Amino acid sequence: MSDPVAEPLKLIAFDAEDLAVVSAHLQDAVVRKGDIAWLPGEQRFALALRRFDWEGAERGQKRRRLAALHFERVTSARSVKIEPGAQDTIFSLLAVTFAEAQSPAGEVTLHFSDGAAIRLGVECIEAQMKDLGPIWEAAATPAHPDQG
């Protein structure tokens, strides 16, 4: 019997609604600072994440898997509460949002725990999230203080 959750997920986002779907799948993903790259010459921003498998959690499975997220047409990148150096610093991704400026341009924000954030100036939303391979058992299901 095949496990549909084990099938690699691949999502593309071209608008705020698509980006909200990507954000939902990446909620509580763990990101190492050294796995974040801003490539201004290519207008690309990319990161590797260890995402929690929320679909599997609905069936009682606690799993994580390696995934990648990248944005194209990125004109700027700046961070808040992310110190230079310390490549092994770990962040927990809470959400990915978009605020439109002059359509279709705007700002994509990656919101992390403890108020850290990365803000990307984009010409438009052009993002892709893709599972890369390994799946492993997670120690626990992520929880938030405001959950009942």
Side-chain angles (χ1 to χ4, degrees):
M1 179 180 213
S2 70
D3 180 356
V5 179
E7 292 297 316
L9 186 60
K10 181 177 181 180
L11 301 172
I12 297 174
F14 290 114
D15 60 28
E17 187 175 307
D18 294 344
L19 194 60
V21 172
V22 170
S23 178
H25 283 283
L26 292 178
Q27 181 180 3
D28 297 307
V30 177
V31 181
R32 190 178 71 88
K33 184 173 184 280
D35 292 334
I36 299 172
W38 160 227
L39 307 166
E42 298 176 33
Q43 288 193 311
R44 179 175 297 133
F45 185 88
L47 59 159
L49 317 99
R50 287 114 190 113
R51 74 173 184 90
F52 186 78
D53 178 11
W54 286 107
E55 290 177 330
E58 291 175 2
R59 290 187 286 287
Q61 299 167 321
K62 293 184 261 184
R63 305 191 291 195
R64 286 196 179 267
R65 70 185 308 157
L66 186 62
L69 173 65
H70 70 86
F71 294 88
E72 302 294 330
R73 303 174 142 227
V74 179
T75 58
S76 66
R78 59 190 195 284
S79 63
V80 175
K81 292 188 175 183
I82 297 178
E83 299 298 321
Q87 297 298 305
D88 289 329
T89 303
I90 303 295
F91 299 95
S92 180
L93 183 64
L94 302 177
V96 182
T97 60
F98 178 71
E100 189 173 81
Q102 282 188 300
S103 184
E107 187 173 78
V108 170
T109 303
L110 290 89
H111 303 269
F112 298 99
S113 56
D114 299 324
I118 296 174
R119 293 191 177 95
L120 308 175
V122 296
E123 294 173 0
C124 62
I125 297 174
E126 188 174 324
Q128 181 178 14
M129 188 225 88
K130 181 178 181 180
D131 287 336
L132 299 177
I135 301 171
W136 61 92
E137 290 300 312
T141 301
H144 300 273
D146 59 345
Q147 290 179 331

